[in-house]
């Protein structure tokens, strides 16, 4: 059973003057348990629409999807999901602690377990000190961290994060990456949308690229990076201690190394030179 | 549902709505002196003023709290985080309604106590020929509360179909105004006097509107409380049944509409 299974998901919005916008065009995508999938796409590509369909916020026009085998149309499908909306907003007349208690109860958590989990996630997200302040007094980054806290609270199997790094400073971004990597180590499924390619490269197992409502590519991150290899940077040390840096094509690499060794020189470093995920992404979306 | 209800109540208190009501409740202090201006019917006037002030405050609450409750959640994007929890939308709508209804009940209880104090002072200072029947005053308060709770349900229904606060707020105000006169208009168009003046089509339209618009006239027991006239028990039971049925229909419609609403 897949953690997330999307089959032919399509969404058409009806606009003014009977105009229609096809926001999603039959998306097929499966995400395994224990996998981190980066959902990459430019603004308006359909990332948030896909996620809103999964979370039952909008109804797909065609197709279906399941979360851990449960149809997304049912509220039960959301019991094993932690969802962070894009630019999240929470009842700002509650404190972070009260909001987490509200969310925990919605997930059926009670008593000691709920109090303990609240304390753990508030401490993890560095919100323990201001936990009793109303959310309306929080900075944007703190609100984002409340969002992450409510996602982690009930320790779900599936995490759907819509632009989780948005609005965070470098320290906050590092914290989110650390959390995602920790979830990955614990065998959780993380599906997160972003348009920051560096995030995908660092934390994801697979990447899915969406543009104009169509899924363009779904592949493993290492395959993409391997395909983008343009050559190798080789550092060769001569007998007199001088270091020569050379960039060679893949076909010539073996020969260059053999020649250097035969000449009594030592190879200090061989590094692949490859296109970044960003270049790959830009190729796909046609820029 | 209980969770949403408690959050709704907390939100109302944190937004200092209750403090605002308490500020308005200061007006009760002036009721005995204002009522004394009527030389002969001081107690009656104090009952009238008290019930009217309570009605006015409950009307404001039902229009503004009922009309903005769902709209605000959508406008401020709270709905994305709340509706993605494993909650049914029906529980969300009912939780919101019950939170608002509970707040109305609490408000009318507090204001009712304040009005009792004001009426007691008036009737002690200027004893009335006809003593205050506290039971009828309580009944008038209960039915006024039911009337405005029903109006909250109207406001909620309008919120579920609207993307702005105009329809819920002004639609509820219009419904309130129409609901007070629908009975008289219905009776007039069906009277022999109107047979010539009113076209059959208009008569049909008025009949349809009469059945669609809530009839709130039956909830008004002010005269019974003011003059100590016992209300008809059958009428009270019918009004209570009407409240339950009409509110259930409004909430059912709200849930149906909100279930289909997309959070774009």
């Amino acid at each position: 059973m897949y953690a997330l299974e999307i089959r032919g998901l399509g969404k058409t919005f009806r606009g003014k003057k009977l105009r229609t916008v096809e926001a999603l065009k039959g998306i097929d995508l499966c995400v395994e348990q224990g996998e981190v999938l980066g959902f990459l796409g430019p603004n308006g590509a359909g990332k948030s629409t896909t996620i809103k369909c999964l979370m039952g916020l909008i109804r797909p026009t065609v197709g279906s999807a399941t979360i851990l085998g449960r149809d997304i149309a049912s509220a039960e499908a959301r019991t094993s999901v932690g969802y962070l909306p894009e630019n999240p907003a929470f009842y700002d007349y509650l404190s972070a602690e009260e909001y987490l208690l509200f969310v925990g109860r919605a997930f059926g958590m009670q008593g000691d377990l709920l109090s303990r989990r609240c304390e753990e996630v508030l401490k993890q997200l560095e919100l323990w000190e201001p936990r009793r302040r109303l959310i309306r007094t929080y900075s944007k980054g703190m609100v984002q961290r409340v969002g992450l806290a409510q996602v982690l609270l009930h320790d779900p199997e599936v995490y759907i994060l819509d632009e989780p790094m948005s609005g965070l400073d470098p320290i906050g971004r590092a914290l989110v990456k650390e959390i995602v990597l920790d979830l990955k180590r614990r065998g959780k499924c993380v599906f997160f949308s972003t348009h920051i390619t560096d995030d995908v490269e660092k934390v994801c197992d697979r990447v899915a690229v969406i543009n104009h409502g169509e899924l363009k590519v779904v592949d493993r991150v290492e395959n993409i990076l391997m395909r983008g290899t343009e050559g190798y940077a080789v550092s060769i040390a001569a007998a007199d201690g001088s270091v020569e840096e050379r960039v060679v094509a893949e076909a010539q690499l073996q020969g260059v190394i053999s020649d250097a060794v035969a000449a009594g020189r030592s190879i200090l470093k061989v590094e692949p030179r490859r296109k970044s995920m960003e270049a790959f992404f830009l190729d796909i979306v046609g820029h | 549902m209980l969770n949403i209800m408690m959050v709704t109540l907390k939100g109302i208190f944190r937004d200092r709505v209750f403090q605002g009501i308490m500020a308005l409740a200061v007006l009760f202090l002036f009721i005995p002196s204002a009522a004394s201006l009527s030389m002969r019917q001081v107690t009656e006037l104090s009952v009238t003023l008290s019930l009217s002030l309570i009605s006015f405050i409950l009307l404001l609450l039902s229009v503004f709290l009922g009309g903005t409750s769902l709209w605000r959640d959508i406008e401020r994007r709270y709905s994305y985080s709340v509706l993605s929890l494993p909650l049914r939308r029906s529980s969300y709508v009912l939780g919101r309604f019950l939170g608002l209804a509970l707040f109305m009940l609490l408000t009318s209880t507090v204001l009712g106590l304040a009005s009792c104090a004001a009426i007691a002072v008036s009737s002690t200072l200027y004893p009335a020929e006809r003593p205050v029947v506290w039971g009828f005053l309580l009944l008038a308060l209960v039915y006024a509360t039911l009337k405005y709770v029903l109006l909250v349900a109207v406001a909620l229904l309008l919120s579920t179909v609207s993307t702005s606060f105009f329809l819920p707020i002004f639609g509820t105000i219009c419904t309130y105004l129409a609901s007070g006169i629908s009975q008289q208009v219905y009776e007039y168009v069906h009277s022999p006097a109107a047979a010539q003046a009113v076209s059959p089509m208009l008569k049909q339209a008025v009949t349809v509107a009469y059945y669609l618009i809530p009839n709130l006239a039956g909830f008004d027991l002010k005269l019974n409380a003011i003059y100590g006239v016992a209300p008809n028990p059958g009428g009270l039971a019918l009004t209570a049944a009407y409240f339950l049925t009409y509110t259930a229909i409004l909430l059912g419609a709200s849930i149906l509409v909100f279930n289909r609403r997309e959070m774009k």
Side-chain angles (χ1 to χ4, degrees):
Chain A
M1 183 174 55
Y2 290 108
L4 277 175
E5 188 173 0
I6 302 172
R7 297 281 177 218
L9 201 74
K11 178 68 190 171
T12 304
F13 288 111
R14 261 176 286 169
K16 287 174 185 168
K17 295 178 185 171
L18 298 173
R19 222 178 286 163
T20 56
V21 179
E22 208 176 350
L24 290 180
K25 299 168 185 169
I27 286 186
D28 287 295
L29 181 64
C30 295
V31 190
E32 302 271 2
Q33 292 181 49
E35 187 178 33
V36 179
L37 185 126
F39 198 41
L40 210 55
N43 291 332
K47 302 189 295 292
S48 292
T49 304
T50 309
I51 288 177
K52 282 177 187 169
C53 282
L54 290 176
M55 296 313 301
L57 294 169
I58 55 177
R59 279 186 316 280
T61 314
V62 289
S64 63
T66 57
I67 299 172
L68 290 170
R70 296 188 188 117
D71 192 283
I72 52 163
S74 69
E76 287 71 32
R78 300 193 288 275
T79 51
S80 43
V81 183
Y83 167 58
L84 177 69
E86 185 182 9
N87 300 322
F90 307 107
Y91 289 134
D92 65 358
Y93 47 77
L94 299 180
S95 66
E97 189 174 42
E98 287 170 332
Y99 189 75
L100 290 185
L101 291 172
F102 163 71
V103 170
R105 286 188 200 110
F107 280 102
M109 298 169 79
Q110 300 289 342
D112 285 348
L113 171 69
L114 180 54
S115 314
R116 187 171 49 78
R117 282 297 298 155
C118 271
E119 186 178 337
E120 282 170 11
V121 293
L122 283 167
K123 284 181 174 165
Q124 187 182 2
L125 274 302
E126 295 164 13
L127 289 166
W128 183 247
E129 287 302 315
R131 69 188 183 281
R132 294 206 169 117
R133 264 171 49 198
L134 298 188
I135 294 176
R136 64 174 58 139
T137 65
Y138 285 9
S139 67
K140 195 181 173 193
M142 286 167 86
V143 172
Q144 188 81 358
R145 278 187 277 144
V146 173
L148 287 163
Q150 55 99 35
V151 160
L152 296 168
L153 183 69
H154 60 295
D155 193 27
E157 288 306 309
V158 179
Y159 292 78
I160 297 179
L161 315 175
D162 199 353
E163 307 277 1
M165 319 277 189
S166 149
L168 292 177
D169 60 15
I171 300 168
R173 292 164 71 98
L175 181 68
V176 173
K177 280 181 198 165
E178 198 181 298
I179 287 170
V180 173
L181 289 171
D182 180 53
L183 294 172
K184 186 173 161 177
R185 275 192 292 274
R186 291 170 50 215
K188 308 285 186 181
C189 164
V190 184
F191 177 94
F192 81 89
S193 81
T194 182
H195 46 231
I196 303 168
T197 50
D198 185 55
D199 298 342
V200 173
E201 207 171 321
K202 294 220 165 80
V203 299
C204 293
D205 299 310
R206 278 199 306 157
V207 61
V209 181
I210 185 171
N211 196 24
H212 299 305
E214 279 180 272
L215 210 53
K216 299 289 183 185
V217 174
V218 183
D219 204 350
R220 297 198 68 77
V221 170
E222 68 255 27
N223 292 348
I224 291 166
L225 295 177
M226 196 59 77
R227 273 206 304 273
T229 303
E230 292 171 322
Y232 293 85
V234 185
S235 299
I236 304 167
D240 60 0
S242 63
V243 178
E244 183 195 356
E245 297 262 359
R246 291 178 63 184
V247 176
V248 296
E250 191 175 0
Q252 299 165 331
L253 180 65
Q254 198 59 49
V256 169
I257 292 173
S258 306
D259 291 349
V261 172
R265 300 162 80 186
S266 49
I267 308 296
L268 295 178
K269 196 167 63 180
V270 179
E271 270 184 344
R273 280 280 176 93
R274 56 195 176 198
K275 273 188 187 173
S276 65
M277 182 64 83
E278 185 170 281
F280 164 77
F281 171 66
L282 291 175
D283 283 348
I284 300 274
V285 299
H287 282 274
Chain B
M1 188 160 67
L2 202 68
N3 209 5
I4 292 284
M5 187 180 93
M6 295 316 292
V7 162
T8 305
L9 266 182
K10 217 173 247 182
I12 296 170
F13 279 102
R14 293 269 165 89
D15 285 340
R16 301 196 178 154
V17 177
F18 199 70
Q19 286 92 320
I21 292 164
M22 288 300 103
L24 272 177
V26 170
L27 291 173
F28 281 106
L29 294 175
F30 300 103
I31 284 178
S33 43
S36 68
L37 296 175
S38 151
M39 303 297 283
R40 296 169 63 178
Q41 293 189 311
V42 178
T43 305
E44 285 85 348
L45 187 58
S46 65
V47 173
T48 309
L49 289 174
S50 299
L51 289 177
S52 299
L53 183 57
I54 291 174
S55 277
F56 176 67
I57 293 173
L58 291 180
L59 173 65
L60 286 182
L61 288 178
S62 55
V63 169
F64 289 101
L65 289 181
T68 58
S69 180
L70 290 187
W71 168 78
R72 199 169 67 155
D73 272 14
I74 295 168
E75 177 70 16
R76 296 193 181 172
R77 303 164 55 84
Y78 300 151
S79 51
Y80 293 122
S81 37
V82 175
L83 295 178
S84 57
L85 296 173
L87 290 170
R88 289 177 204 288
R89 290 195 183 188
S90 52
S91 302
Y92 172 78
V93 172
L94 289 178
R96 278 277 177 218
F97 171 76
L98 290 177
L100 295 172
L102 199 61
F103 183 72
M104 301 286 282
L105 187 67
L106 187 73
T107 305
S108 68
T109 305
V110 172
L111 296 181
L113 288 173
S115 70
C116 285
I119 294 163
V121 169
S122 298
S123 60
T124 308
L125 292 176
Y126 306 95
E129 283 175 25
R130 214 180 288 116
V132 178
V133 184
W134 296 103
F136 296 166
L137 184 75
L138 179 69
L139 266 179
L141 269 174
V142 168
Y143 275 79
T145 310
L146 294 183
K147 171 176 156 180
Y148 292 106
V149 168
L150 193 152
L151 208 59
V152 168
V154 171
L156 268 187
L157 173 62
L158 295 175
S159 295
T160 57
V161 294
S162 173
T163 51
S164 80
F165 66 89
F166 285 104
L167 178 66
I169 295 218
F170 294 108
T172 310
I173 292 172
C174 291
T175 306
Y176 174 74
L177 294 175
S179 66
I181 55 163
S182 64
Q183 184 71 44
Q184 288 98 312
V185 174
Y186 177 80
E187 281 167 10
Y188 170 71
V189 298
H190 287 87
S191 68
Q196 297 295 318
V198 179
S199 69
M201 210 172 131
L202 182 62
K203 203 183 270 186
Q204 285 289 323
V206 167
T207 308
V208 170
Y210 173 73
Y211 286 111
L212 276 181
I213 294 168
N215 186 345
L216 301 180
F219 292 86
D220 192 353
L221 300 179
K222 263 199 209 109
L223 287 178
N224 302 77
I226 294 165
Y227 297 110
V229 179
N232 172 13
L236 289 181
L238 202 66
T239 308
Y242 179 80
F243 164 78
L244 289 174
T245 312
Y246 206 97
T247 306
I249 291 170
L250 288 171
L251 291 176
S254 304
I255 290 167
L256 271 178
V257 175
F258 200 65
N259 268 335
R260 297 196 59 77
R261 183 149 184 180
E262 301 207 304
M263 301 295 142
K264 290 178 194 168

